[in-house]
Amino acid sequence: MKKIGVILAFFSLLLVIIPVDSYANPVQQYGSGGWDPQGSDEFTNQSEIFLSGGGDFKICLSSDSQSGYYELYEEDPYNTDDVVYSNGIRGLYFKTAGSNDFDSNGCHVFKNIGGYVDGDQAEFYLAKYSGGNSTVYAYD
């Protein structure tokens, strides 16, 4: 009889601990292998700065963003800002005939951008060379 009481106590304790532990931290935890949102910005000439720890960096433009030429820069407060190249290409064309720079979702991934990290992180912004507003979403 004592054995059954101990087993029931054990399972009762599990029922209390498991739900509490499962919901103890409701904040989304991001890890390697997924895209961590870094924010978004509606801009005319230059977006706000987005932070990256290295690896790959993804930008997505909303479908109502202006067609034209876009460049990603790494902000440097003491020197000229660096243009971020993607597959040896300096700039990207969005919704321009014959351009495959963005996927069907309006996204482009800059791969292996670790060389742009100075200190703990890189500070990226998107610049464009056409009128009107565009909205960018950044992921690290």
Side-chain angles (χ1 to χ4, degrees):
M1 207 51 175
K2 187 176 179 182
K3 217 182 217 184
I4 293 174
V6 170
I7 292 172
L8 287 174
F10 175 75
F11 283 111
S12 297
L13 185 61
L14 280 178
L15 291 174
V16 171
I17 291 174
I18 291 174
V20 170
D21 187 44
S22 297
Y23 298 105
N25 189 359
V27 177
Q28 176 71 36
Q29 298 295 315
Y30 299 110
S32 61
W35 290 109
D36 301 336
Q38 299 302 305
S40 63
D41 187 34
E42 183 178 336
F43 67 102
T44 302
N45 298 311
Q46 178 180 318
S47 75
E48 68 180 44
I49 291 175
F50 302 107
L51 303 178
S52 173
D56 296 343
F57 186 75
K58 179 168 82 168
I59 59 166
C60 297
L61 293 171
S62 66
S63 60
D64 60 345
S65 292
Q66 293 297 310
S67 297
Y69 184 73
Y70 290 78
E71 285 184 319
L72 187 69
Y73 287 88
E74 200 279 323
E75 195 268 338
D76 190 342
Y78 305 110
N79 295 310
T80 304
D81 294 350
D82 296 320
V83 176
V84 179
Y85 286 79
S86 181
N87 299 324
I89 299 170
R90 179 179 175 140
L92 308 169
Y93 288 95
F94 181 66
K95 292 196 286 189
T96 304
S99 171
N100 294 322
D101 294 337
F102 289 83
D103 66 18
S104 61
N105 295 317
C107 298
H108 181 85
V109 176
F110 293 84
K111 297 188 180 289
N112 303 315
I113 49 86
Y116 295 96
V117 175
D118 47 6
D120 293 338
Q121 58 198 4
E123 301 84 16
F124 293 127
Y125 65 88
L126 192 63
K128 70 179 180 118
Y129 302 95
S130 58
N133 290 341
S134 292
T135 302
V136 62
Y137 301 88
Y139 303 88
D140 190 37

